[in-house]
Amino acid sequence: MQEISTLNWLRIGALGVIWGASFMFVSVALTGVGPFFLAAVRIVLGAGFLLCLLRVKGRRLPPLGGVEGRKIWQFALVMALFSNFFPFILLSWAQQSVASGFAGVCMAAVPLLILPLAHFLVPGERMHLRRLVGFVLGTTGVVVLIGPGAFTSTGKDLESLARLACLGAAGGYAIGSIATRLSPEVDRLALSALVLTLAAGMILPLALLVEGWPSALNTKSLLALLYLGILPTGVAQVLLVQVNREAGPSFFSLVNYMVPVWSVILGALVLSEALPPSLLAAMTLILVGVGMSQWGALRRVFGAR
């Protein structure tokens, strides 16, 4: 039974702000480390934070023994691969060759990728016309916000392959959301910690192999990495699991519409960047799309009869 409650609306709202702010911190962190090492440190710090939290709360990682334990670890491995390992690698590599806005548009398409997968794989996640139209409107809103520059060619040799990598990352996030929802019931903090621990064990050796240890790590980069590891990775992983488990992957995917909006707004407030003239039109499309796709849930939250 899906629980699209007020609490879950607040959770995806918090995720939108946390992930929206991460773009600023990524820019700062990249002054001292490479993109692969940045991804690895984020995941390692997130895993360490959640493992410490588990220890403080007197809990443990899910046991590997038994049929149920092996099944939980299998789902956690799928989540680690498709929600962390593959998307981080693909996006880190691709953003060297594509316009930065193109990756944002691909992430906004995640709800459209989740919709058919959830329809066939997740009980209670039926695809219907109103939800489809709502998701299309939301994705269109993000495209309007980012603007035509997202589709401008950079002229780099591997651009076409890099665009496919961005789409592959979006597909990975969609598969990871479905796996999170289908995982057997288990302590959600423990599951979140297990996912990041498995992802850390895979991505850290690769980052060291590809980029080596950073030689220009400065204080600002270090502080940015601490933020990225604890909030957008560690805390966000817990919220991600909670929302997917309770409200379903289609509802969780709405966060992909909130992230670019908050990124633009926080960029204006903190970095004094100019607000794009398309912001109002984009937000209107996104809000209408969210309202259409989640009309039933909104009526329950606000007590409509």
Side-chain angles (χ1 to χ4, degrees), residues 248-272:
S250 294
F251 177 80
F252 169 76
S253 69
L254 296 177
V255 75
N256 292 279
Y257 301 144
M258 301 177 188
V259 170
V261 173
W262 277 111
S263 176
V264 168
I265 292 174
L266 291 171
L269 292 175
V270 179
L271 304 178
S272 300

Side-chain angles (χ1 to χ4, degrees), residues 59 185-193 238 241-242 245-246:
R59 305 181 198 173
E185 187 58 52
V186 65
D187 182 283
R188 290 167 190 177
L189 178 59
L191 178 62
S192 301
V238 177
V241 169
Q242 290 174 334
R245 296 292 299 167
E246 294 178 13

Side-chain angles (χ1 to χ4, degrees), residues 24-34 37-38 41-42 44-46 213-232:
M24 296 185 297
F25 288 92
V26 166
S27 298
V28 174
L30 285 173
T31 62
V33 299
F37 194 82
L38 167 61
V41 172
R42 280 185 65 172
V44 169
L45 286 174
W213 191 262
S215 58
L217 185 61
N218 52 61
T219 303
K220 285 186 177 180
S221 294
L222 181 59
L223 292 175
L225 286 170
L226 287 172
Y227 170 85
L228 291 168
I230 294 172
L231 278 175

